[in-house]
Amino acid sequence: MTCSPISFNANVDCRSTGENFAPTFLRLNPKGTVPTLVVPLQKTLGPDTESRYRPITDTKAIVEFLDKGRSVMSRTNTTSDAPAPALAPATISFSSTSATIIDDILHSEGGSPNSLLYMNARDDAQLKALAVFLFPFLKSRHEALSGFIAEASNEQSHLSQKTKAFYVEKQTSTQTLLDVFSKADVATAALDATAKAAREDYFATAKTAWEADLKESLTKLNGEIIGPYCLVPAPAGDQISIADLHLAGWLARIVSLSGGSISEDGDTVTAKVEAHIGGGFQFPKEAPATGGAVGARTTPQSKLAAFWDAIKDRPSFQRVYAEREVAQTLLRQCMRLTALWMFVSSICGLRKSRPSADGLVFGNSARPFGPDLAAATESDQCGGSFNVTCIQSFGTPEC
């Protein structure tokens, strides 16, 4: 396979240094979201034309662009000497189902794994465990934002008022989360009135996120999937679609947040998701048994369990998520050591004591944590280090 040239491949570290909020990155993507893909415009792909570029900042648009770039739709025919079939739906009916799965469910506010990550605690013990992982990350982000705000105040960087307001909003919302996680090792009964109210608001929002919003999203999703893949029934082969790409990544994160593992089968991981949601929630077992042959499944299972079994052993899925799971395990160990250091150094006076939750202000009473959480997590389509890649094989329309 002959692949097209890659102009540059830059890492954006949003875990420790907050580079996705740096002024240089915000010029590409004012929302500071990752991933961001920089691509040439179609009209500037000619050999005698100087290329012009634009960023694609929406995950759905990035996936669609890459799908076209690897197929026979490539305008320059440099993507591959053996183009793969397009993954976009081929019929109006499938396009409608795909749009429902991707837009209305997977990328909806109620189904956001980013929000669920920050809201993945509904009691004191869970909050304490979650804080070990999230507190160092949020503290690093807050420090990075403080640095950007200081540079703007000292006119070291010339930023618009809109960008300055963006920094303040992100810093405030991050501080809101920090205030809750900073007292995670204190029992609710021992908190002062303000901190106790803040924690109760957090738990209420977490309960809604997991037990109502995600439950609704999963129920809709299980009903839309044809099975085992989103748009392809079992006898039709193993051709996946764009919807499957979105669902694979989304479900892998939900499974991880629920305590599941990439190595486990579909019935096991969906059972863990059901237990984590709680309240007796169960997926309907609508995927039929596959027969009595050796290795066949003899009992019905949910469509999402069938999807997981179909997707998890694909080499591409294993390369991405099995390796990522190992990396996340190592990261959690590092986070625990970091949290221990911060705790010990705070006691020894090497660092300032952790922030107080006094004066914590939330949003509306219906979903008190919602607005602040949305502001804090909007940029976290994922967590960690990401590629900002400029690909010259397939231009994007100028608009």
Side-chain angles (χ1 to χ4, degrees), residues 12 33 46 70 98 101 103 118 168 171 186 210 226 239 250 287 306 308 322 350 376 385 394 397 399:
V12 179
T33 56
R70 60 186 282 280
S98 180
I101 292 173
D103 299 330
Y118 288 91
V168 172
Q171 185 188 50
V186 180
W210 280 94
I226 295 177
Q239 176 62 43
W250 183 89
W308 182 266
L350 299 178
S385 183
F394 186 88
C399 57

mmCIF file of all heavy atoms in Angstrom, residues 12 33 46 70 98 101 103 118 168 171 186 210 226 239 250 287 306 308 322 350 376 385 394 397 399:
data_model
loop_
_atom_site.group_PDB
_atom_site.id
_atom_site.type_symbol
_atom_site.label_atom_id
_atom_site.label_comp_id
_atom_site.label_asym_id
_atom_site.label_seq_id
_atom_site.Cartn_x
_atom_site.Cartn_y
_atom_site.Cartn_z
ATOM 1 N N VAL A 12 -0.424 16.843 21.203
ATOM 2 C CA VAL A 12 -1.028 17.867 22.051
ATOM 3 C C VAL A 12 -1.319 17.226 23.394
ATOM 4 O O VAL A 12 -2.181 16.362 23.502
ATOM 5 C CB VAL A 12 -2.329 18.417 21.432
ATOM 6 C CG1 VAL A 12 -2.948 19.458 22.350
ATOM 7 C CG2 VAL A 12 -2.044 19.020 20.065
ATOM 8 N N THR A 33 -10.658 21.622 21.561
ATOM 9 C CA THR A 33 -10.996 20.202 21.604
ATOM 10 C C THR A 33 -9.989 19.368 20.824
ATOM 11 O O THR A 33 -9.327 19.843 19.908
ATOM 12 C CB THR A 33 -12.399 19.949 21.032
ATOM 13 O OG1 THR A 33 -12.465 20.473 19.703
ATOM 14 C CG2 THR A 33 -13.459 20.614 21.889
ATOM 15 N N GLY A 46 -3.501 21.150 -6.599
ATOM 16 C CA GLY A 46 -2.777 21.021 -7.859
ATOM 17 C C GLY A 46 -1.280 21.196 -7.687
ATOM 18 O O GLY A 46 -0.809 21.858 -6.756
ATOM 19 N N ARG A 70 -9.516 7.390 2.255
ATOM 20 C CA ARG A 70 -8.955 6.050 2.082
ATOM 21 C C ARG A 70 -9.689 5.256 1.013
ATOM 22 O O ARG A 70 -9.391 4.096 0.774
ATOM 23 C CB ARG A 70 -9.021 5.281 3.406
ATOM 24 C CG ARG A 70 -10.429 5.115 3.928
ATOM 25 C CD ARG A 70 -10.464 4.487 5.308
ATOM 26 N NE ARG A 70 -10.266 3.061 5.256
ATOM 27 C CZ ARG A 70 -11.223 2.183 4.935
ATOM 28 N NH1 ARG A 70 -12.425 2.619 4.616
ATOM 29 N NH2 ARG A 70 -10.974 0.902 4.933
ATOM 30 N N SER A 98 -27.834 5.383 10.861
ATOM 31 C CA SER A 98 -26.486 5.783 11.254
ATOM 32 C C SER A 98 -26.499 7.153 11.920
ATOM 33 O O SER A 98 -25.845 7.369 12.953
ATOM 34 C CB SER A 98 -25.573 5.800 10.026
ATOM 35 O OG SER A 98 -24.258 6.186 10.370
ATOM 36 N N ILE A 101 -27.885 6.909 15.464
ATOM 37 C CA ILE A 101 -26.920 6.326 16.398
ATOM 38 C C ILE A 101 -25.814 7.320 16.742
ATOM 39 O O ILE A 101 -25.478 7.526 17.917
ATOM 40 C CB ILE A 101 -26.319 5.035 15.809
ATOM 41 C CG1 ILE A 101 -27.390 3.943 15.735
ATOM 42 C CG2 ILE A 101 -25.132 4.556 16.643
ATOM 43 C CD1 ILE A 101 -26.940 2.686 15.016
ATOM 44 N N ASP A 103 -25.482 10.839 15.952
ATOM 45 C CA ASP A 103 -25.830 12.199 16.377
ATOM 46 C C ASP A 103 -26.737 12.232 17.605
ATOM 47 O O ASP A 103 -26.487 12.988 18.550
ATOM 48 C CB ASP A 103 -26.518 12.950 15.233
ATOM 49 C CG ASP A 103 -25.628 13.093 14.013
ATOM 50 O OD1 ASP A 103 -24.403 13.154 14.191
ATOM 51 O OD2 ASP A 103 -26.158 13.134 12.886
ATOM 52 N N TYR A 118 -16.201 12.368 34.767
ATOM 53 C CA TYR A 118 -16.139 13.300 35.891
ATOM 54 C C TYR A 118 -17.229 13.025 36.924
ATOM 55 O O TYR A 118 -17.083 13.381 38.091
ATOM 56 C CB TYR A 118 -16.256 14.740 35.384
ATOM 57 C CG TYR A 118 -15.022 15.221 34.669
ATOM 58 C CD1 TYR A 118 -14.887 15.060 33.299
ATOM 59 C CD2 TYR A 118 -13.974 15.815 35.361
ATOM 60 C CE1 TYR A 118 -13.750 15.486 32.632
ATOM 61 C CE2 TYR A 118 -12.832 16.243 34.709
ATOM 62 C CZ TYR A 118 -12.723 16.076 33.345
ATOM 63 O OH TYR A 118 -11.591 16.492 32.687
ATOM 64 N N VAL A 168 -11.084 32.164 31.465
ATOM 65 C CA VAL A 168 -11.689 32.377 32.786
ATOM 66 C C VAL A 168 -12.809 31.365 33.027
ATOM 67 O O VAL A 168 -12.925 30.799 34.121
ATOM 68 C CB VAL A 168 -12.222 33.816 32.907
ATOM 69 C CG1 VAL A 168 -13.022 33.987 34.201
ATOM 70 C CG2 VAL A 168 -11.070 34.815 32.868
ATOM 71 N N GLN A 171 -11.211 27.977 33.710
ATOM 72 C CA GLN A 171 -10.567 27.945 35.021
ATOM 73 C C GLN A 171 -11.604 27.861 36.138
ATOM 74 O O GLN A 171 -11.442 27.099 37.106
ATOM 75 C CB GLN A 171 -9.695 29.183 35.214
ATOM 76 C CG GLN A 171 -8.893 29.153 36.516
ATOM 77 C CD GLN A 171 -8.195 30.468 36.783
ATOM 78 O OE1 GLN A 171 -8.828 31.521 36.722
ATOM 79 N NE2 GLN A 171 -6.903 30.418 37.070
ATOM 80 N N VAL A 186 -12.532 13.233 52.893
ATOM 81 C CA VAL A 186 -13.297 13.595 54.087
ATOM 82 C C VAL A 186 -14.711 13.031 53.942
ATOM 83 O O VAL A 186 -15.357 13.213 52.907
ATOM 84 C CB VAL A 186 -13.364 15.126 54.266
ATOM 85 C CG1 VAL A 186 -14.168 15.485 55.511
ATOM 86 C CG2 VAL A 186 -11.956 15.716 54.333
ATOM 87 N N TRP A 210 -25.839 8.779 35.296
ATOM 88 C CA TRP A 210 -25.700 7.341 35.112
ATOM 89 C C TRP A 210 -27.043 6.616 35.092
ATOM 90 O O TRP A 210 -27.277 5.749 34.252
ATOM 91 C CB TRP A 210 -24.817 6.754 36.219
ATOM 92 C CG TRP A 210 -23.362 6.956 35.963
ATOM 93 C CD1 TRP A 210 -22.575 7.978 36.416
ATOM 94 C CD2 TRP A 210 -22.515 6.124 35.166
ATOM 95 N NE1 TRP A 210 -21.288 7.837 35.957
ATOM 96 C CE2 TRP A 210 -21.220 6.706 35.197
ATOM 97 C CE3 TRP A 210 -22.707 4.955 34.445
ATOM 98 C CZ2 TRP A 210 -20.138 6.138 34.515
ATOM 99 C CZ3 TRP A 210 -21.629 4.392 33.772
ATOM 100 C CH2 TRP A 210 -20.363 4.981 33.804
ATOM 101 N N ILE A 226 -28.832 -3.173 14.379
ATOM 102 C CA ILE A 226 -29.400 -4.321 13.672
ATOM 103 C C ILE A 226 -28.787 -5.601 14.207
ATOM 104 O O ILE A 226 -29.472 -6.579 14.466
ATOM 105 C CB ILE A 226 -29.169 -4.177 12.156
ATOM 106 C CG1 ILE A 226 -29.943 -2.961 11.632
ATOM 107 C CG2 ILE A 226 -29.587 -5.444 11.423
ATOM 108 C CD1 ILE A 226 -29.723 -2.681 10.165
ATOM 109 N N GLN A 239 -18.699 -6.525 7.303
ATOM 110 C CA GLN A 239 -18.428 -5.166 6.863
ATOM 111 C C GLN A 239 -18.944 -4.164 7.897
ATOM 112 O O GLN A 239 -20.139 -4.090 8.161
ATOM 113 C CB GLN A 239 -19.089 -4.894 5.512
ATOM 114 C CG GLN A 239 -18.930 -3.459 5.020
ATOM 115 C CD GLN A 239 -17.479 -3.074 4.802
ATOM 116 O OE1 GLN A 239 -16.717 -3.852 4.254
ATOM 117 N NE2 GLN A 239 -17.095 -1.888 5.239
ATOM 118 N N TRP A 250 -16.956 4.636 21.779
ATOM 119 C CA TRP A 250 -17.876 5.069 22.837
ATOM 120 C C TRP A 250 -18.111 3.950 23.850
ATOM 121 O O TRP A 250 -18.008 4.152 25.058
ATOM 122 C CB TRP A 250 -19.192 5.495 22.192
ATOM 123 C CG TRP A 250 -20.235 6.042 23.122
ATOM 124 C CD1 TRP A 250 -20.402 7.341 23.499
ATOM 125 C CD2 TRP A 250 -21.284 5.295 23.769
ATOM 126 N NE1 TRP A 250 -21.488 7.458 24.346
ATOM 127 C CE2 TRP A 250 -22.041 6.219 24.525
ATOM 128 C CE3 TRP A 250 -21.642 3.957 23.782
ATOM 129 C CZ2 TRP A 250 -23.144 5.831 25.284
ATOM 130 C CZ3 TRP A 250 -22.742 3.559 24.540
ATOM 131 C CH2 TRP A 250 -23.476 4.494 25.277
ATOM 132 N N ALA A 287 -30.635 -10.519 20.784
ATOM 133 C CA ALA A 287 -29.763 -11.182 19.811
ATOM 134 C C ALA A 287 -29.901 -12.686 20.002
ATOM 135 O O ALA A 287 -29.629 -13.206 21.088
ATOM 136 C CB ALA A 287 -28.314 -10.752 20.015
ATOM 137 N N ALA A 306 -23.633 -8.604 21.733
ATOM 138 C CA ALA A 306 -23.274 -9.217 20.453
ATOM 139 C C ALA A 306 -22.324 -8.312 19.675
ATOM 140 O O ALA A 306 -21.368 -8.784 19.039
ATOM 141 C CB ALA A 306 -24.532 -9.500 19.636
ATOM 142 N N TRP A 308 -20.210 -6.141 20.969
ATOM 143 C CA TRP A 308 -18.911 -6.189 21.645
ATOM 144 C C TRP A 308 -18.141 -7.450 21.246
ATOM 145 O O TRP A 308 -16.939 -7.380 20.952
ATOM 146 C CB TRP A 308 -19.114 -6.137 23.153
ATOM 147 C CG TRP A 308 -17.838 -6.127 23.935
ATOM 148 C CD1 TRP A 308 -17.189 -7.203 24.470
ATOM 149 C CD2 TRP A 308 -17.049 -4.984 24.269
ATOM 150 N NE1 TRP A 308 -16.043 -6.807 25.115
ATOM 151 C CE2 TRP A 308 -15.931 -5.446 25.007
ATOM 152 C CE3 TRP A 308 -17.177 -3.618 24.022
ATOM 153 C CZ2 TRP A 308 -14.956 -4.589 25.498
ATOM 154 C CZ3 TRP A 308 -16.198 -2.764 24.514
ATOM 155 C CH2 TRP A 308 -15.108 -3.244 25.236
ATOM 156 N N ALA A 322 -6.688 -2.488 23.361
ATOM 157 C CA ALA A 322 -5.960 -3.378 24.265
ATOM 158 C C ALA A 322 -4.677 -2.707 24.737
ATOM 159 O O ALA A 322 -4.327 -2.745 25.918
ATOM 160 C CB ALA A 322 -5.656 -4.700 23.569
ATOM 161 N N LEU A 350 5.449 21.700 51.676
ATOM 162 C CA LEU A 350 6.202 21.921 50.445
ATOM 163 C C LEU A 350 5.348 22.559 49.367
ATOM 164 O O LEU A 350 5.852 23.158 48.440
ATOM 165 C CB LEU A 350 6.763 20.590 49.930
ATOM 166 C CG LEU A 350 7.725 19.872 50.879
ATOM 167 C CD1 LEU A 350 8.159 18.549 50.266
ATOM 168 C CD2 LEU A 350 8.934 20.744 51.185
ATOM 169 N N ALA A 376 -16.390 22.493 31.908
ATOM 170 C CA ALA A 376 -15.115 21.872 32.261
ATOM 171 C C ALA A 376 -14.747 20.734 31.337
ATOM 172 O O ALA A 376 -13.578 20.472 31.102
ATOM 173 C CB ALA A 376 -15.171 21.356 33.704
ATOM 174 N N SER A 385 -2.601 12.304 25.188
ATOM 175 C CA SER A 385 -1.815 12.909 24.130
ATOM 176 C C SER A 385 -2.402 12.527 22.779
ATOM 177 O O SER A 385 -2.684 11.366 22.520
ATOM 178 C CB SER A 385 -0.369 12.413 24.225
ATOM 179 O OG SER A 385 0.436 13.019 23.267
ATOM 180 N N PHE A 394 -6.408 14.152 0.410
ATOM 181 C CA PHE A 394 -7.803 14.410 0.053
ATOM 182 C C PHE A 394 -8.201 15.761 0.606
ATOM 183 O O PHE A 394 -8.242 15.958 1.815
ATOM 184 C CB PHE A 394 -8.696 13.311 0.629
ATOM 185 C CG PHE A 394 -10.133 13.416 0.193
ATOM 186 C CD1 PHE A 394 -10.550 12.806 -0.971
ATOM 187 C CD2 PHE A 394 -11.047 14.125 0.936
ATOM 188 C CE1 PHE A 394 -11.865 12.893 -1.375
ATOM 189 C CE2 PHE A 394 -12.362 14.219 0.540
ATOM 190 C CZ PHE A 394 -12.776 13.602 -0.623
ATOM 191 N N PRO A 397 -13.666 20.725 1.092
ATOM 192 C CA PRO A 397 -14.252 21.883 0.412
ATOM 193 C C PRO A 397 -14.049 23.161 1.206
ATOM 194 O O PRO A 397 -14.110 23.153 2.434
ATOM 195 C CB PRO A 397 -15.742 21.522 0.326
ATOM 196 C CG PRO A 397 -15.793 20.047 0.470
ATOM 197 C CD PRO A 397 -14.653 19.690 1.371
ATOM 198 N N CYS A 399 -15.174 26.528 2.739
ATOM 199 C CA CYS A 399 -16.471 27.081 3.117
ATOM 200 C C CYS A 399 -16.277 28.180 4.147
ATOM 201 O O CYS A 399 -15.182 28.412 4.597
ATOM 202 C CB CYS A 399 -17.383 25.993 3.675
ATOM 203 S SG CYS A 399 -16.713 25.099 5.075
#
